[in-house]
Amino acid sequence: MKSEEIKFLNNLYPYFKMLDNINNDLTKVIRSNKDNDLYQNEELFYNITSELLRLLPYKYIEKEDKIVLDTKSGILLLTNQINYIEEKYTKILIFDRFHDILKDIHKIRNKYIHEPHNISYAFSVGGTSICSMGLYYKNQLLSISSVSLAPIVYYLNRIFEMIKTDAIKLINQSEKYKEYPYYETIKNFDFSRSHWHYTILLEYLMLHF
């Protein structure tokens, strides 16, 4: 393996870990909702949105009500090695069904950082497979739910399954690195749908991805 390929594989780990955290926390949201644990739900949603903005870097331009990809942040700095990621990420951001949730995620995260005293809990509702939570920023209601988050996470998992496949091909080219414990960790991340516990509604699915 070439030195740049080794560096690329090493650079992937934090992003794989971020998505793994999102998958696990979204499952916990559903489970904690059964126990009506409002404080845990708020913390989990905060963790999910924080990791999501690190994994899927974007900006919200309020004057234009527009969401744009931040191509100079995070995994998008690795586009030379992942030539399809910018296109795939853009498809997520321009899908009309995701506009409101991505806007609210950006606002919630931004206000949590800069004005936490102006964020207050509004409501939490759900059942055995969904959970929705509302927060007030001053007098503005911002909402987030497992129903709207799940399809975004679904597409991220599809992208990262592709990245993982490419990474494994690189690893398997070298007998030296094939059984390396660090690369075994990368190979063991699971981005398939087999371990998911949340609902994806048909209207949130894109025809061509």
Side-chain angles (χ1 to χ4, degrees):
M1 236 190 314
K2 298 175 183 177
S3 59
E4 61 265 28
E5 292 173 336
I6 293 171
K7 185 179 179 182
F8 167 63
L9 290 172
N10 292 341
N11 286 340
L12 284 180
Y13 177 82
Y15 302 106
F16 279 28
K17 185 59 181 171
M18 286 175 207
L19 184 52
D20 189 55
N21 290 341
I22 291 169
N23 283 330
N24 291 333
D25 284 346
L26 197 48
T27 298
K28 287 177 187 176
V29 163
I30 304 301
R31 289 175 176 167
S32 68
N33 190 59
K34 294 177 187 176
D35 302 325
N36 200 30
D37 191 334
L38 307 183
Y39 297 107
Q40 187 178 3
N41 282 348
E42 185 175 354
E43 184 178 348
L44 287 168
F45 273 128
Y46 175 76
N47 292 341
I48 292 167
T49 54
S50 298
E51 293 287 58
L52 190 64
L53 283 169
R54 294 173 69 205
L55 190 64
L56 176 62
Y58 65 90
K59 299 174 183 177
Y60 174 62
I61 304 170
E62 192 159 6
K63 288 182 179 178
E64 302 174 35
D65 192 29
K66 187 178 180 182
I67 293 167
V68 295
L69 201 60
D70 182 357
T71 57
K72 296 182 179 180
S73 293
I75 198 169
L76 290 167
L77 295 172
L78 307 179
T79 51
N80 286 341
Q81 291 88 6
I82 316 169
N83 57 18
Y84 49 82
I85 193 165
E86 190 171 335
E87 178 196 350
K88 297 292 187 184
Y89 271 21
T90 300
K91 284 185 176 182
I92 293 173
L93 295 187
I94 65 173
F95 187 51
D96 59 346
R97 285 281 182 176
F98 295 154
H99 180 82
D100 288 346
I101 180 63
L102 289 171
K103 179 176 69 175
D104 280 0
I105 285 171
H106 193 276
K107 282 188 176 181
I108 288 168
R109 175 62 176 153
N110 186 53
K111 301 309 178 186
Y112 256 125
I113 293 172
H114 300 291
E115 303 175 56
H117 59 284
N118 283 324
I119 292 284
S120 59
Y121 183 82
F123 67 85
S124 179
V125 294
T128 57
S129 62
I130 63 169
C131 180
S132 179
M133 185 181 71
L135 296 169
Y136 279 114
Y137 166 62
K138 297 182 179 177
N139 294 321
Q140 182 183 8
L141 180 63
L142 305 171
S143 62
I144 185 170
S145 76
S146 60
V147 171
S148 53
L149 275 173
I152 296 172
V153 175
Y154 162 73
Y155 286 113
L156 288 173
N157 275 283
R158 283 183 57 178
I159 294 167
F160 273 76
E161 192 62 36
M162 293 168 65
I163 297 171
K164 179 185 165 185
T165 299
D166 293 342
I168 290 172
K169 285 178 183 175
L170 278 179
I171 293 166
N172 288 341
Q173 286 175 9
S174 171
E175 290 297 324
K176 179 182 176 181
Y177 294 106
K178 227 174 181 178
E179 307 299 328
Y180 219 62
Y182 182 79
Y183 297 133
E184 278 295 309
T185 303
I186 287 178
K187 291 195 283 187
N188 287 334
F189 278 105
D190 187 0
F191 303 122
S192 69
R193 200 174 169 183
S194 57
H195 301 294
W196 297 3
H197 300 279
Y198 37 90
T199 301
I200 300 175
L201 301 181
L202 288 175
E203 57 261 38
Y204 286 100
L205 296 178
M206 288 183 255
L207 289 177
H208 304 289
F209 189 78

mmCIF file of all heavy atoms in Angstrom, residues 100-145:
data_model
loop_
_atom_site.group_PDB
_atom_site.id
_atom_site.type_symbol
_atom_site.label_atom_id
_atom_site.label_comp_id
_atom_site.label_asym_id
_atom_site.label_seq_id
_atom_site.Cartn_x
_atom_site.Cartn_y
_atom_site.Cartn_z
ATOM 1 N N ASP A 100 -36.432 21.479 5.794
ATOM 2 C CA ASP A 100 -36.833 22.019 7.099
ATOM 3 C C ASP A 100 -36.064 21.385 8.252
ATOM 4 O O ASP A 100 -35.653 22.081 9.188
ATOM 5 C CB ASP A 100 -38.338 21.838 7.310
ATOM 6 C CG ASP A 100 -39.161 22.777 6.439
ATOM 7 O OD1 ASP A 100 -38.579 23.729 5.880
ATOM 8 O OD2 ASP A 100 -40.372 22.548 6.289
ATOM 9 N N ILE A 101 -35.872 20.076 8.198
ATOM 10 C CA ILE A 101 -35.162 19.415 9.300
ATOM 11 C C ILE A 101 -33.697 19.827 9.329
ATOM 12 O O ILE A 101 -33.127 20.078 10.397
ATOM 13 C CB ILE A 101 -35.311 17.870 9.237
ATOM 14 C CG1 ILE A 101 -34.553 17.206 10.395
ATOM 15 C CG2 ILE A 101 -34.832 17.298 7.922
ATOM 16 C CD1 ILE A 101 -35.058 17.550 11.764
ATOM 17 N N LEU A 102 -33.065 19.948 8.154
ATOM 18 C CA LEU A 102 -31.663 20.382 8.115
ATOM 19 C C LEU A 102 -31.523 21.818 8.599
ATOM 20 O O LEU A 102 -30.570 22.169 9.299
ATOM 21 C CB LEU A 102 -31.104 20.239 6.695
ATOM 22 C CG LEU A 102 -30.885 18.801 6.209
ATOM 23 C CD1 LEU A 102 -30.542 18.790 4.719
ATOM 24 C CD2 LEU A 102 -29.791 18.102 7.009
ATOM 25 N N LYS A 103 -32.497 22.664 8.255
ATOM 26 C CA LYS A 103 -32.498 24.053 8.722
ATOM 27 C C LYS A 103 -32.629 24.097 10.240
ATOM 28 O O LYS A 103 -31.885 24.832 10.913
ATOM 29 C CB LYS A 103 -33.657 24.811 8.061
ATOM 30 C CG LYS A 103 -33.771 26.260 8.483
ATOM 31 C CD LYS A 103 -34.874 26.983 7.717
ATOM 32 C CE LYS A 103 -36.254 26.478 8.114
ATOM 33 N NZ LYS A 103 -37.328 27.271 7.464
ATOM 34 N N ASP A 104 -33.564 23.315 10.799
ATOM 35 C CA ASP A 104 -33.766 23.327 12.247
ATOM 36 C C ASP A 104 -32.569 22.728 12.993
ATOM 37 O O ASP A 104 -32.201 23.208 14.067
ATOM 38 C CB ASP A 104 -35.050 22.558 12.605
ATOM 39 C CG ASP A 104 -36.298 23.406 12.388
ATOM 40 O OD1 ASP A 104 -36.158 24.572 11.956
ATOM 41 O OD2 ASP A 104 -37.413 22.916 12.635
ATOM 42 N N ILE A 105 -31.963 21.683 12.423
ATOM 43 C CA ILE A 105 -30.768 21.085 13.042
ATOM 44 C C ILE A 105 -29.663 22.135 13.142
ATOM 45 O O ILE A 105 -29.018 22.280 14.181
ATOM 46 C CB ILE A 105 -30.272 19.866 12.226
ATOM 47 C CG1 ILE A 105 -31.181 18.664 12.451
ATOM 48 C CG2 ILE A 105 -28.830 19.510 12.609
ATOM 49 C CD1 ILE A 105 -30.888 17.498 11.526
ATOM 50 N N HIS A 106 -29.464 22.874 12.058
ATOM 51 C CA HIS A 106 -28.419 23.893 12.042
ATOM 52 C C HIS A 106 -28.703 24.981 13.070
ATOM 53 O O HIS A 106 -27.804 25.421 13.807
ATOM 54 C CB HIS A 106 -28.326 24.500 10.635
ATOM 55 C CG HIS A 106 -27.103 25.317 10.412
ATOM 56 N ND1 HIS A 106 -27.022 26.644 10.784
ATOM 57 C CD2 HIS A 106 -25.894 24.993 9.873
ATOM 58 C CE1 HIS A 106 -25.826 27.106 10.476
ATOM 59 N NE2 HIS A 106 -25.119 26.135 9.917
ATOM 60 N N LYS A 107 -29.952 25.414 13.152
ATOM 61 C CA LYS A 107 -30.323 26.458 14.113
ATOM 62 C C LYS A 107 -30.183 25.970 15.552
ATOM 63 O O LYS A 107 -29.648 26.675 16.415
ATOM 64 C CB LYS A 107 -31.770 26.910 13.862
ATOM 65 C CG LYS A 107 -31.916 27.858 12.685
ATOM 66 C CD LYS A 107 -33.334 28.408 12.623
ATOM 67 C CE LYS A 107 -33.493 29.438 11.510
ATOM 68 N NZ LYS A 107 -34.847 30.000 11.458
ATOM 69 N N ILE A 108 -30.689 24.762 15.809
ATOM 70 C CA ILE A 108 -30.635 24.212 17.165
ATOM 71 C C ILE A 108 -29.192 24.108 17.633
ATOM 72 O O ILE A 108 -28.835 24.536 18.731
ATOM 73 C CB ILE A 108 -31.331 22.831 17.232
ATOM 74 C CG1 ILE A 108 -32.853 22.993 17.108
ATOM 75 C CG2 ILE A 108 -30.985 22.108 18.537
ATOM 76 C CD1 ILE A 108 -33.589 21.699 16.879
ATOM 77 N N ARG A 109 -28.357 23.532 16.789
ATOM 78 C CA ARG A 109 -26.946 23.351 17.148
ATOM 79 C C ARG A 109 -26.258 24.703 17.356
ATOM 80 O O ARG A 109 -25.519 24.899 18.326
ATOM 81 C CB ARG A 109 -26.248 22.547 16.043
ATOM 82 C CG ARG A 109 -24.747 22.376 16.232
ATOM 83 C CD ARG A 109 -24.423 21.627 17.498
ATOM 84 N NE ARG A 109 -23.000 21.404 17.615
ATOM 85 C CZ ARG A 109 -22.364 21.265 18.751
ATOM 86 N NH1 ARG A 109 -23.019 21.316 19.890
ATOM 87 N NH2 ARG A 109 -21.062 21.051 18.786
ATOM 88 N N ASN A 110 -26.531 25.656 16.485
ATOM 89 C CA ASN A 110 -25.912 26.972 16.574
ATOM 90 C C ASN A 110 -26.337 27.696 17.858
ATOM 91 O O ASN A 110 -25.507 28.292 18.555
ATOM 92 C CB ASN A 110 -26.294 27.805 15.350
ATOM 93 C CG ASN A 110 -25.581 29.136 15.308
ATOM 94 O OD1 ASN A 110 -24.360 29.189 15.394
ATOM 95 N ND2 ASN A 110 -26.332 30.212 15.184
ATOM 96 N N LYS A 111 -27.619 27.608 18.178
ATOM 97 C CA LYS A 111 -28.115 28.297 19.379
ATOM 98 C C LYS A 111 -27.661 27.597 20.657
ATOM 99 O O LYS A 111 -27.422 28.250 21.675
ATOM 100 C CB LYS A 111 -29.647 28.399 19.354
ATOM 101 C CG LYS A 111 -30.203 29.141 18.136
ATOM 102 C CD LYS A 111 -29.545 30.493 17.900
ATOM 103 C CE LYS A 111 -30.094 31.160 16.646
ATOM 104 N NZ LYS A 111 -29.356 32.400 16.325
ATOM 105 N N TYR A 112 -27.537 26.271 20.617
ATOM 106 C CA TYR A 112 -27.031 25.534 21.777
ATOM 107 C C TYR A 112 -25.609 25.988 22.120
ATOM 108 O O TYR A 112 -25.228 26.060 23.287
ATOM 109 C CB TYR A 112 -27.007 24.033 21.488
ATOM 110 C CG TYR A 112 -28.127 23.257 22.141
ATOM 111 C CD1 TYR A 112 -28.970 22.451 21.381
ATOM 112 C CD2 TYR A 112 -28.340 23.297 23.522
ATOM 113 C CE1 TYR A 112 -29.996 21.726 21.960
ATOM 114 C CE2 TYR A 112 -29.355 22.569 24.112
ATOM 115 C CZ TYR A 112 -30.180 21.789 23.333
ATOM 116 O OH TYR A 112 -31.190 21.068 23.917
ATOM 117 N N ILE A 113 -24.817 26.279 21.081
ATOM 118 C CA ILE A 113 -23.434 26.691 21.297
ATOM 119 C C ILE A 113 -23.355 28.132 21.791
ATOM 120 O O ILE A 113 -22.658 28.433 22.761
ATOM 121 C CB ILE A 113 -22.614 26.539 19.994
ATOM 122 C CG1 ILE A 113 -22.476 25.058 19.617
ATOM 123 C CG2 ILE A 113 -21.225 27.173 20.144
ATOM 124 C CD1 ILE A 113 -21.852 24.834 18.257
ATOM 125 N N HIS A 114 -24.087 29.028 21.122
ATOM 126 C CA HIS A 114 -23.918 30.460 21.372
ATOM 127 C C HIS A 114 -24.933 31.061 22.346
ATOM 128 O O HIS A 114 -24.644 32.077 22.984
ATOM 129 C CB HIS A 114 -23.979 31.219 20.043
ATOM 130 C CG HIS A 114 -22.915 30.807 19.073
ATOM 131 N ND1 HIS A 114 -21.594 31.077 19.272
ATOM 132 C CD2 HIS A 114 -22.998 30.109 17.892
ATOM 133 C CE1 HIS A 114 -20.878 30.593 18.259
ATOM 134 N NE2 HIS A 114 -21.706 29.993 17.416
ATOM 135 N N GLU A 115 -26.128 30.461 22.450
ATOM 136 C CA GLU A 115 -27.161 31.014 23.335
ATOM 137 C C GLU A 115 -27.917 29.908 24.066
ATOM 138 O O GLU A 115 -29.144 29.816 23.959
ATOM 139 C CB GLU A 115 -28.164 31.848 22.524
ATOM 140 C CG GLU A 115 -27.564 32.984 21.712
ATOM 141 C CD GLU A 115 -28.624 33.674 20.859
ATOM 142 O OE1 GLU A 115 -29.643 34.133 21.417
ATOM 143 O OE2 GLU A 115 -28.445 33.717 19.621
ATOM 144 N N PRO A 116 -27.222 29.059 24.798
ATOM 145 C CA PRO A 116 -27.922 27.941 25.452
ATOM 146 C C PRO A 116 -29.024 28.382 26.411
ATOM 147 O O PRO A 116 -30.005 27.659 26.614
ATOM 148 C CB PRO A 116 -26.801 27.202 26.195
ATOM 149 C CG PRO A 116 -25.696 28.196 26.310
ATOM 150 C CD PRO A 116 -25.791 29.070 25.105
ATOM 151 N N HIS A 117 -28.889 29.597 26.963
ATOM 152 C CA HIS A 117 -29.909 30.093 27.905
ATOM 153 C C HIS A 117 -31.213 30.440 27.199
ATOM 154 O O HIS A 117 -32.258 30.560 27.841
ATOM 155 C CB HIS A 117 -29.379 31.330 28.641
ATOM 156 C CG HIS A 117 -29.013 32.462 27.750
ATOM 157 N ND1 HIS A 117 -27.853 32.477 26.988
ATOM 158 C CD2 HIS A 117 -29.658 33.636 27.459
ATOM 159 C CE1 HIS A 117 -27.795 33.590 26.293
ATOM 160 N NE2 HIS A 117 -28.882 34.310 26.554
ATOM 161 N N ASN A 118 -31.160 30.604 25.866
ATOM 162 C CA ASN A 118 -32.371 30.932 25.102
ATOM 163 C C ASN A 118 -33.042 29.708 24.486
ATOM 164 O O ASN A 118 -34.025 29.844 23.759
ATOM 165 C CB ASN A 118 -32.043 31.950 23.997
ATOM 166 C CG ASN A 118 -31.886 33.354 24.529
ATOM 167 O OD1 ASN A 118 -32.598 33.749 25.450
ATOM 168 N ND2 ASN A 118 -30.946 34.103 23.973
ATOM 169 N N ILE A 119 -32.497 28.520 24.773
ATOM 170 C CA ILE A 119 -33.105 27.272 24.297
ATOM 171 C C ILE A 119 -33.875 26.638 25.447
ATOM 172 O O ILE A 119 -33.337 26.439 26.541
ATOM 173 C CB ILE A 119 -32.029 26.278 23.798
ATOM 174 C CG1 ILE A 119 -31.360 26.795 22.514
ATOM 175 C CG2 ILE A 119 -32.626 24.898 23.554
ATOM 176 C CD1 ILE A 119 -32.182 26.652 21.262
ATOM 177 N N SER A 120 -35.140 26.342 25.209
ATOM 178 C CA SER A 120 -35.943 25.702 26.248
ATOM 179 C C SER A 120 -36.746 24.548 25.657
ATOM 180 O O SER A 120 -37.123 24.562 24.483
ATOM 181 C CB SER A 120 -36.892 26.698 26.914
ATOM 182 O OG SER A 120 -37.768 27.263 25.961
ATOM 183 N N TYR A 121 -36.990 23.566 26.490
ATOM 184 C CA TYR A 121 -37.722 22.366 26.074
ATOM 185 C C TYR A 121 -39.198 22.704 25.854
ATOM 186 O O TYR A 121 -39.807 23.422 26.634
ATOM 187 C CB TYR A 121 -37.568 21.312 27.168
ATOM 188 C CG TYR A 121 -38.209 19.991 26.851
ATOM 189 C CD1 TYR A 121 -37.565 19.052 26.063
ATOM 190 C CD2 TYR A 121 -39.471 19.689 27.355
ATOM 191 C CE1 TYR A 121 -38.149 17.842 25.781
ATOM 192 C CE2 TYR A 121 -40.070 18.479 27.080
ATOM 193 C CZ TYR A 121 -39.399 17.553 26.290
ATOM 194 O OH TYR A 121 -39.995 16.355 26.011
ATOM 195 N N ALA A 122 -39.784 22.178 24.763
ATOM 196 C CA ALA A 122 -41.199 22.446 24.461
ATOM 197 C C ALA A 122 -42.057 21.198 24.616
ATOM 198 O O ALA A 122 -43.047 21.203 25.338
ATOM 199 C CB ALA A 122 -41.338 23.015 23.045
ATOM 200 N N PHE A 123 -41.694 20.118 23.925
ATOM 201 C CA PHE A 123 -42.503 18.907 23.997
ATOM 202 C C PHE A 123 -41.702 17.696 23.528
ATOM 203 O O PHE A 123 -40.655 17.824 22.894
ATOM 204 C CB PHE A 123 -43.765 19.039 23.132
ATOM 205 C CG PHE A 123 -43.472 19.099 21.641
ATOM 206 C CD1 PHE A 123 -43.307 17.940 20.892
ATOM 207 C CD2 PHE A 123 -43.374 20.327 20.997
ATOM 208 C CE1 PHE A 123 -43.032 18.006 19.536
ATOM 209 C CE2 PHE A 123 -43.097 20.397 19.634
ATOM 210 C CZ PHE A 123 -42.929 19.231 18.895
ATOM 211 N N SER A 124 -42.206 16.528 23.843
ATOM 212 C CA SER A 124 -41.661 15.269 23.336
ATOM 213 C C SER A 124 -42.812 14.292 23.204
ATOM 214 O O SER A 124 -43.561 14.077 24.154
ATOM 215 C CB SER A 124 -40.600 14.707 24.287
ATOM 216 O OG SER A 124 -40.097 13.479 23.793
ATOM 217 N N VAL A 125 -42.982 13.749 22.001
ATOM 218 C CA VAL A 125 -44.061 12.791 21.773
ATOM 219 C C VAL A 125 -43.525 11.630 20.939
ATOM 220 O O VAL A 125 -42.501 11.746 20.277
ATOM 221 C CB VAL A 125 -45.259 13.432 21.024
ATOM 222 C CG1 VAL A 125 -45.918 14.485 21.871
ATOM 223 C CG2 VAL A 125 -44.822 14.009 19.686
ATOM 224 N N GLY A 126 -44.233 10.522 20.973
ATOM 225 C CA GLY A 126 -43.816 9.391 20.140
ATOM 226 C C GLY A 126 -44.446 8.099 20.583
ATOM 227 O O GLY A 126 -45.302 8.064 21.475
ATOM 228 N N GLY A 127 -44.011 7.036 19.940
ATOM 229 C CA GLY A 127 -44.528 5.706 20.247
ATOM 230 C C GLY A 127 -43.395 4.700 20.271
ATOM 231 O O GLY A 127 -42.282 5.028 20.659
ATOM 232 N N THR A 128 -43.666 3.506 19.816
ATOM 233 C CA THR A 128 -42.667 2.447 19.898
ATOM 234 C C THR A 128 -41.620 2.525 18.793
ATOM 235 O O THR A 128 -40.563 1.919 18.902
ATOM 236 C CB THR A 128 -43.353 1.066 19.821
ATOM 237 O OG1 THR A 128 -44.125 1.002 18.601
ATOM 238 C CG2 THR A 128 -44.247 0.842 21.019
ATOM 239 N N SER A 129 -41.880 3.282 17.711
ATOM 240 C CA SER A 129 -40.903 3.334 16.612
ATOM 241 C C SER A 129 -40.541 4.750 16.175
ATOM 242 O O SER A 129 -39.706 4.926 15.302
ATOM 243 C CB SER A 129 -41.446 2.564 15.403
ATOM 244 O OG SER A 129 -42.640 3.149 14.939
ATOM 245 N N ILE A 130 -41.161 5.778 16.799
ATOM 246 C CA ILE A 130 -40.826 7.155 16.434
ATOM 247 C C ILE A 130 -40.737 8.023 17.681
ATOM 248 O O ILE A 130 -41.298 7.692 18.727
ATOM 249 C CB ILE A 130 -41.861 7.771 15.464
ATOM 250 C CG1 ILE A 130 -43.244 7.858 16.127
ATOM 251 C CG2 ILE A 130 -41.927 7.016 14.155
ATOM 252 C CD1 ILE A 130 -44.250 8.684 15.348
ATOM 253 N N CYS A 131 -40.011 9.126 17.546
ATOM 254 C CA CYS A 131 -39.916 10.094 18.636
ATOM 255 C C CYS A 131 -39.751 11.478 18.030
ATOM 256 O O CYS A 131 -38.986 11.654 17.080
ATOM 257 C CB CYS A 131 -38.723 9.764 19.534
ATOM 258 S SG CYS A 131 -38.529 10.925 20.906
ATOM 259 N N SER A 132 -40.474 12.455 18.571
ATOM 260 C CA SER A 132 -40.383 13.824 18.085
ATOM 261 C C SER A 132 -40.197 14.753 19.279
ATOM 262 O O SER A 132 -40.776 14.536 20.344
ATOM 263 C CB SER A 132 -41.657 14.207 17.322
ATOM 264 O OG SER A 132 -41.580 15.530 16.864
ATOM 265 N N MET A 133 -39.368 15.781 19.088
ATOM 266 C CA MET A 133 -39.106 16.702 20.176
ATOM 267 C C MET A 133 -39.139 18.135 19.653
ATOM 268 O O MET A 133 -38.698 18.404 18.526
ATOM 269 C CB MET A 133 -37.734 16.428 20.792
ATOM 270 C CG MET A 133 -37.429 17.256 22.017
ATOM 271 S SD MET A 133 -35.786 16.918 22.691
ATOM 272 C CE MET A 133 -34.764 17.670 21.438
ATOM 273 N N GLY A 134 -39.684 19.047 20.443
ATOM 274 C CA GLY A 134 -39.710 20.457 20.080
ATOM 275 C C GLY A 134 -38.918 21.277 21.083
ATOM 276 O O GLY A 134 -38.930 20.993 22.281
ATOM 277 N N LEU A 135 -38.210 22.284 20.568
ATOM 278 C CA LEU A 135 -37.453 23.195 21.419
ATOM 279 C C LEU A 135 -37.817 24.631 21.037
ATOM 280 O O LEU A 135 -38.046 24.921 19.859
ATOM 281 C CB LEU A 135 -35.947 22.996 21.224
ATOM 282 C CG LEU A 135 -35.364 21.647 21.628
ATOM 283 C CD1 LEU A 135 -33.939 21.531 21.107
ATOM 284 C CD2 LEU A 135 -35.382 21.466 23.131
ATOM 285 N N TYR A 136 -37.863 25.484 22.017
ATOM 286 C CA TYR A 136 -38.071 26.900 21.747
ATOM 287 C C TYR A 136 -36.730 27.620 21.741
ATOM 288 O O TYR A 136 -35.929 27.471 22.673
ATOM 289 C CB TYR A 136 -38.962 27.540 22.813
ATOM 290 C CG TYR A 136 -40.437 27.302 22.615
ATOM 291 C CD1 TYR A 136 -41.161 26.543 23.528
ATOM 292 C CD2 TYR A 136 -41.101 27.849 21.516
ATOM 293 C CE1 TYR A 136 -42.527 26.325 23.346
ATOM 294 C CE2 TYR A 136 -42.468 27.638 21.333
ATOM 295 C CZ TYR A 136 -43.160 26.869 22.244
ATOM 296 O OH TYR A 136 -44.498 26.656 22.064
ATOM 297 N N TYR A 137 -36.496 28.374 20.679
ATOM 298 C CA TYR A 137 -35.433 29.374 20.716
ATOM 299 C C TYR A 137 -36.143 30.716 20.846
ATOM 300 O O TYR A 137 -36.778 31.190 19.900
ATOM 301 C CB TYR A 137 -34.565 29.336 19.456
ATOM 302 C CG TYR A 137 -33.689 30.559 19.321
ATOM 303 C CD1 TYR A 137 -32.720 30.831 20.282
ATOM 304 C CD2 TYR A 137 -33.870 31.467 18.277
ATOM 305 C CE1 TYR A 137 -31.931 31.970 20.193
ATOM 306 C CE2 TYR A 137 -33.091 32.605 18.181
ATOM 307 C CZ TYR A 137 -32.119 32.857 19.144
ATOM 308 O OH TYR A 137 -31.342 33.996 19.058
ATOM 309 N N LYS A 138 -36.082 31.273 22.057
ATOM 310 C CA LYS A 138 -36.899 32.446 22.394
ATOM 311 C C LYS A 138 -38.368 32.091 22.124
ATOM 312 O O LYS A 138 -38.912 31.203 22.759
ATOM 313 C CB LYS A 138 -36.428 33.670 21.614
ATOM 314 C CG LYS A 138 -35.000 34.086 21.964
ATOM 315 C CD LYS A 138 -34.558 35.339 21.229
ATOM 316 C CE LYS A 138 -33.153 35.730 21.635
ATOM 317 N NZ LYS A 138 -32.646 36.911 20.897
ATOM 318 N N ASN A 139 -39.027 32.706 21.133
ATOM 319 C CA ASN A 139 -40.424 32.379 20.830
ATOM 320 C C ASN A 139 -40.571 31.522 19.567
ATOM 321 O O ASN A 139 -41.690 31.286 19.112
ATOM 322 C CB ASN A 139 -41.241 33.661 20.662
ATOM 323 C CG ASN A 139 -41.346 34.431 21.958
ATOM 324 O OD1 ASN A 139 -41.488 33.837 23.020
ATOM 325 N ND2 ASN A 139 -41.254 35.754 21.880
ATOM 326 N N GLN A 140 -39.453 31.089 19.011
ATOM 327 C CA GLN A 140 -39.481 30.305 17.772
ATOM 328 C C GLN A 140 -39.411 28.817 18.083
ATOM 329 O O GLN A 140 -38.499 28.360 18.776
ATOM 330 C CB GLN A 140 -38.299 30.707 16.880
ATOM 331 C CG GLN A 140 -38.267 29.980 15.552
ATOM 332 C CD GLN A 140 -37.029 30.355 14.740
ATOM 333 O OE1 GLN A 140 -36.130 31.031 15.222
ATOM 334 N NE2 GLN A 140 -36.987 29.901 13.498
ATOM 335 N N LEU A 141 -40.391 28.063 17.571
ATOM 336 C CA LEU A 141 -40.421 26.620 17.804
ATOM 337 C C LEU A 141 -39.600 25.901 16.739
ATOM 338 O O LEU A 141 -39.831 26.051 15.542
ATOM 339 C CB LEU A 141 -41.859 26.101 17.785
ATOM 340 C CG LEU A 141 -42.031 24.591 18.020
ATOM 341 C CD1 LEU A 141 -41.545 24.201 19.418
ATOM 342 C CD2 LEU A 141 -43.495 24.170 17.833
ATOM 343 N N LEU A 142 -38.631 25.112 17.197
ATOM 344 C CA LEU A 142 -37.811 24.287 16.312
ATOM 345 C C LEU A 142 -38.089 22.833 16.655
ATOM 346 O O LEU A 142 -38.140 22.465 17.831
ATOM 347 C CB LEU A 142 -36.322 24.592 16.508
ATOM 348 C CG LEU A 142 -35.894 26.057 16.356
ATOM 349 C CD1 LEU A 142 -34.442 26.234 16.783
ATOM 350 C CD2 LEU A 142 -36.086 26.518 14.922
ATOM 351 N N SER A 143 -38.288 22.000 15.653
ATOM 352 C CA SER A 143 -38.629 20.606 15.941
ATOM 353 C C SER A 143 -37.664 19.658 15.254
ATOM 354 O O SER A 143 -37.062 19.971 14.226
ATOM 355 C CB SER A 143 -40.064 20.291 15.499
ATOM 356 O OG SER A 143 -40.198 20.452 14.108
ATOM 357 N N ILE A 144 -37.542 18.489 15.852
ATOM 358 C CA ILE A 144 -36.671 17.442 15.326
ATOM 359 C C ILE A 144 -37.310 16.105 15.686
ATOM 360 O O ILE A 144 -37.908 15.958 16.751
ATOM 361 C CB ILE A 144 -35.257 17.580 15.932
ATOM 362 C CG1 ILE A 144 -34.301 16.573 15.315
ATOM 363 C CG2 ILE A 144 -35.269 17.459 17.435
ATOM 364 C CD1 ILE A 144 -32.862 16.835 15.710
ATOM 365 N N SER A 145 -37.239 15.150 14.777
ATOM 366 C CA SER A 145 -37.872 13.855 15.047
ATOM 367 C C SER A 145 -37.063 12.724 14.435
ATOM 368 O O SER A 145 -36.287 12.924 13.490
ATOM 369 C CB SER A 145 -39.301 13.821 14.490
ATOM 370 O OG SER A 145 -39.284 13.664 13.089
#
